[in-house]
């Protein structure tokens, strides 16, 4: 089976849209549906025909084009059964720990609640790619709006356990601001310092910093590193639990 083809494009003010395409069947899914016009422009550019929307979470900047696209293209909308009432146009309900078969490409469905309750990540193990919505960002993580800090930490811990080479797509281009914050809690991390420089260069050229990989985040993203002794020392939390260190980092970012 041919690998999924993936096309990412910016939309709204700082969101990313992503199309995934199975070349054998022609099936094409939009990961979330932030904005209709850029999604249609991406379809025109690729020549792909939209057949599905895979929803990560209910927020408007991820679902507001669900119904217009469904009306126009008759797409099948996939989302979390546990949050079905908040996902416009949902047709297929998937469950944490279950799978969703997209044209023969099997996604593991992982509950990654915290940003919202009922947020899910789609992990295509054979394709080595995860669509993490607003759970994990490059050098960041989603703000904890609905869930608890402990829940968000448990969600990130699930993503930490994926293979390091897993390519991660996320919902927003927040990386440059995330890098500035990350350096305040992990200033002596040489990999982070180097990455911050690379990010500045990419953004100066107008290029995306997404996707990332699990491995890169494990090395440089403080939200994935609450077990790191240097971060713990800086926070004065040498003996705290990972969940508590994570929560302190998240609170600091909220008021950064
Ligand atoms: Zn969101
Ligand atoms: Fe979002």
């Amino acid at each position: 089976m041919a690998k999924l083809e993936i096309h990412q494009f910016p939309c709204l003010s700082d969101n990313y849209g992503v199309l995934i395409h199975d070349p054998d069947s022609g099936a094409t899914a939009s990961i979330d549906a932030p904005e209709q016009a850029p999604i249609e422009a991406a379809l025109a550019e690729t020549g792909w025909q939209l057949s599905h929307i895979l929803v990560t979470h209910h927020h408007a900047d991820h679902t507001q084009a669900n119904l217009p696209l469904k009306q126009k293209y008759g797409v099948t909308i996939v989302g979390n059964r546990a949050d079905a009432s908040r996902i416009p146009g949902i047709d297929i309900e998937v469950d944490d720990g279950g799978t969703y078969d997209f044209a023969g490409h099997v996604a593991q469905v992982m509950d990654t609640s915290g940003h919202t309750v009922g947020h899910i990540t789609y992990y295509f193990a054979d394709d080595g790619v995860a669509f993490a919505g607003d759970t994990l960002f490059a050098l960041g993580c989603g703000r904890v709006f609905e869930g608890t800090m402990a829940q968000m930490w448990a969600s990130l811990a699930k993503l930490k356990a994926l293979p390091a080479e897993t390519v991660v797509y996320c919902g927003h281009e927040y990386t440059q601001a995330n890098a500035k914050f990350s350096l305040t809690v992990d200033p002596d991390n040489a990999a982070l310092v180097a990455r911050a420089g690379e990010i500045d260069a990419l953004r100066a050229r107008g290029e995306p910093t997404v996707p990332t990989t699990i491995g890169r985040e494990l090395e440089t993203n403080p939200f994935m590193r609450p077990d790191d002794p240097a971060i713990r020392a800086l926070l004065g939390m040498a003996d705290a639990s990972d969940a508590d260190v994570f929560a302190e980092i998240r609170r600091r970012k909220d008021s950064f």
Side-chain angles (χ1 to χ4, degrees), residues 107-159:
Q108 296 175 30
V109 176
M110 304 164 65
D111 180 293
T112 50
S113 288
H115 176 68
T116 67
V117 172
H119 188 301
I120 55 176
T121 291
Y122 297 89
Y123 170 49
F124 290 87
D126 290 345
D127 287 278
V129 61
F131 299 98
D134 288 357
T135 299
L136 176 65
F137 295 129
L139 291 180
C141 73
R143 197 181 266 254
V144 178
F145 284 122
E146 296 179 5
T148 64
M149 291 289 192
Q151 214 170 10
M152 188 59 152
W153 170 243
S155 295
L156 291 178
K158 289 184 195 175
L159 297 178

Side-chain angles (χ1 to χ4, degrees), residues 25-255:
S25 66
T28 301
S30 179
I31 306 298
D32 291 326
E35 191 181 12
Q36 183 174 1
I39 292 171
E40 293 188 304
L43 291 166
E45 190 185 332
T46 54
W48 299 344
Q49 292 198 316
L50 192 65
S51 54
H52 295 75
I53 299 171
L54 308 186
V55 178
T56 63
H57 68 295
H58 75 89
H59 280 160
D61 65 308
H62 297 257
T63 58
Q64 60 198 4
N66 279 17
L67 294 179
L69 290 170
K70 185 172 183 173
Q71 204 158 35
K72 191 159 173 183
Y73 300 96
V75 299
T76 298
I77 299 179
V78 180
N80 187 1
R81 182 187 315 279
D83 206 20
S85 66
R86 299 195 294 181
I87 298 173
I90 189 168
D91 296 296
I92 295 182
E93 300 180 4
V94 296
D95 297 290
D96 174 44
T99 58
Y100 175 67
D101 185 328
F102 172 70
H105 300 262
V106 176
Q108 296 175 30
V109 176
M110 304 164 65
D111 180 293
T112 50
S113 288
H115 176 68
T116 67
V117 172
H119 188 301
I120 55 176
T121 291
Y122 297 89
Y123 170 49
F124 290 87
D126 290 345
D127 287 278
V129 61
F131 299 98
D134 288 357
T135 299
L136 176 65
F137 295 129
L139 291 180
C141 73
R143 197 181 266 254
V144 178
F145 284 122
E146 296 179 5
T148 64
M149 291 289 192
Q151 214 170 10
M152 188 59 152
W153 170 243
S155 295
L156 291 178
K158 289 184 195 175
L159 297 178
K160 268 170 68 95
L162 297 180
E165 63 273 17
T166 305
V167 174
V168 181
Y169 285 82
C170 50
H172 294 268
E173 177 63 60
Y174 290 156
T175 317
Q176 211 165 16
N178 288 343
K180 286 193 183 74
F181 170 75
S182 296
L183 286 165
T184 67
V185 291
D186 199 10
D188 299 324
N189 180 340
L192 172 59
V193 172
R195 189 178 178 194
E198 289 162 18
I199 287 160
D200 288 341
L202 282 168
R203 295 311 291 156
R205 297 197 298 268
E207 291 176 30
T209 65
V210 175
T212 181
T213 64
I214 292 294
R216 201 177 300 156
E217 298 312 310
L218 290 175
E219 287 180 357
T220 54
N221 182 335
F223 298 99
M224 298 282 261
R225 299 166 52 75
D227 53 342
D228 181 72
I231 293 176
R232 287 170 161 259
L234 184 142
L235 298 175
M237 298 181 76
D239 300 321
S241 68
D242 287 349
D244 286 347
V245 176
F246 163 77
E248 174 60 21
I249 297 169
R250 185 61 257 180
R251 277 190 289 270
R252 287 184 179 219
K253 175 68 165 63
D254 288 346
S255 56

